[in-house]
Every structure is written in structure tokens, then in C-alpha cells.
Amino acid sequence: MNAYNFLRLFQRFNSLLNTYLVKTEIHHAGRDSKFLGTNFIYGGKYIQIGCNTLIDKNVSITAQYVEGISIDKSVIVSIGDNCRIGQFSHVTGINRIKIGNGVRTGASVLITDNAHGEFKYEQLKIQPNLRPLYSKGGVIIGNNVWIGEKATIMPGVTIGDGAIIGANAVVTHDVPPYTTAVGCPAKIIKLSEKK
């Protein structure tokens, strides 16, 4: 067997193994939800995915229960119905991440409610991977939200229904419903008019 065939066989085995682990590890995955390609799932017993939701390839979803930080012992990361999480995206929660129905993200989106330590002198002297996990608050994303490619949603943020987050935006504050936010840090540039 040449190197090319070995690599293809390894990739196929890895994809099958990962798909199997994802299907058996997730706390709850709704009807017709799909995982494309290889994904990294950590803490699946704290992850809930709704119906007809598509998790694109190379997505990382992690959930970890942390005493004194996590709000719920059963579900930390929840993704609603009819969502699509773009490839190479990362959703990581220790407090609470709630993604509504009909949400779509571009590729390489980061949604996080945590950091490695606080901005305190004592902690800054420690290697980041040894600092205690810290959360400023959970993340709530409403229904029918569009999050553009490479956007980052930071801890403690609520994004209202129907909002649009521009590509490369860094969302550090709440975004009202039916608005468009762009930039770093993200600022509201449009507000939809009700008719």
C-alpha cells in the first residue's frame, strides 16, 4: 500500500470513528440533524442540538461543567432547530451558550463564553493553559440570526432575533434584534424598520 492509499484509508477510518463518537456522545441530537465530515466534540453530555441542524466539517463544539460557573448541570451548549454551523467554526462553553432556531454562521466563527483566567496580575504570571477557566457570562443568540465568516462572539453577549453580524466582527456588547453590527469591536450600523 502506497502512502496516498494509506492516507485515504486513515482519513476514512477517522471520519467513521468520529461520526460514531459524535452520534453516541451528544446529550441530545434532534431528528434529521447531520454532522458533515470530521468534527471535534468534547463534553457531549452537556451539548444539545435541535432538529434539521447541519454541523459542517471540521467544527469544534466543546462543553465543560465547571462548579460555580456552569448554570445547568445537563445542558451547557444548545443549538436550535434548522441551524447551520459553518466549517472550521468553534463553539465553546462552560457557563451557557444558547443558539436559537434558524441561525446560520459562516466559516471560522468563534462563539465562546469563557477564557483562560481573568486579567489579574497573579494569573498573568501563570501559563494560560494552567489558569482557571473564567466566564463573564453566557452567550444567547436569538432566532434567525446570520453570523458572517470569521466573526467572534464574546462572553456575556446577547444577540437579538434577526440580527446580522458582519464578517470579521468581534461582538463584545449586546446586539438588539433586527440590526446589523460590523467591526472590531462591533457597532450597530443599521436598524430594520418595521412595516
Side-chain angles (χ1 to χ4, degrees):
M1 176 181 299
N2 64 30
Y4 175 76
N5 287 339
F6 176 78
L7 179 61
R8 287 187 48 110
L9 181 64
F10 175 78
Q11 288 171 336
R12 177 78 176 132
F13 172 75
N14 190 38
S15 179
L16 289 172
L17 177 64
N18 197 23
T19 299
Y20 174 76
L21 290 174
V22 165
K23 286 181 180 173
T24 58
E25 190 181 343
I26 294 287
H27 169 67
H28 175 76
R31 182 178 40 83
D32 296 328
S33 287
K34 294 183 179 115
F35 294 86
L36 299 181
T38 303
N39 300 290
F40 177 76
I41 306 296
Y42 176 80
K45 67 182 180 177
Y46 302 115
I47 298 168
Q48 180 174 310
I49 297 173
C51 298
N52 198 37
T53 288
L54 181 67
I55 308 297
D56 213 332
K57 60 187 174 186
N58 299 309
V59 169
S60 174
I61 304 174
T62 64
Q64 183 176 343
Y65 179 79
V66 178
E67 192 69 45
I69 294 177
S70 302
I71 292 172
D72 188 343
K73 286 188 176 182
S74 60
V75 177
I76 293 172
V77 173
S78 67
I79 301 172
D81 299 336
N82 304 307
C83 294
R84 180 164 184 164
I85 306 299
Q87 63 182 340
F88 298 104
S89 291
H90 186 186
V91 179
T92 175
I94 64 169
N95 182 321
R96 181 78 169 109
I97 293 180
K98 183 174 191 274
I99 299 172
N101 299 322
V103 173
R104 184 172 183 131
T105 78
S108 302
V109 167
L110 170 62
I111 301 170
T112 181
D113 71 359
N114 63 85
H116 287 274
E118 296 179 68
F119 190 73
K120 293 183 177 176
Y121 180 74
E122 306 81 44
Q123 290 189 19
L124 297 174
K125 295 192 300 184
I126 303 170
Q127 295 175 25
N129 60 324
L130 299 178
R131 296 175 193 161
L133 290 174
Y134 170 74
S135 177
K136 288 183 180 178
V139 173
I140 298 174
I141 298 172
N143 298 324
N144 305 317
V145 171
W146 162 240
I147 302 174
E149 189 165 339
K150 297 180 184 169
T152 299
I153 313 301
M154 298 298 287
V157 165
T158 296
I159 298 174
D161 291 348
I164 298 171
I165 307 301
N168 296 302
V170 178
V171 182
T172 58
H173 293 88
D174 292 353
V175 175
Y178 310 107
T179 59
T180 298
V182 300
C184 179
K187 296 195 181 328
I188 308 304
I189 61 164
K190 286 184 183 176
L191 177 59
S192 176
E193 295 178 23
K194 292 182 181 177
K195 293 193 178 191

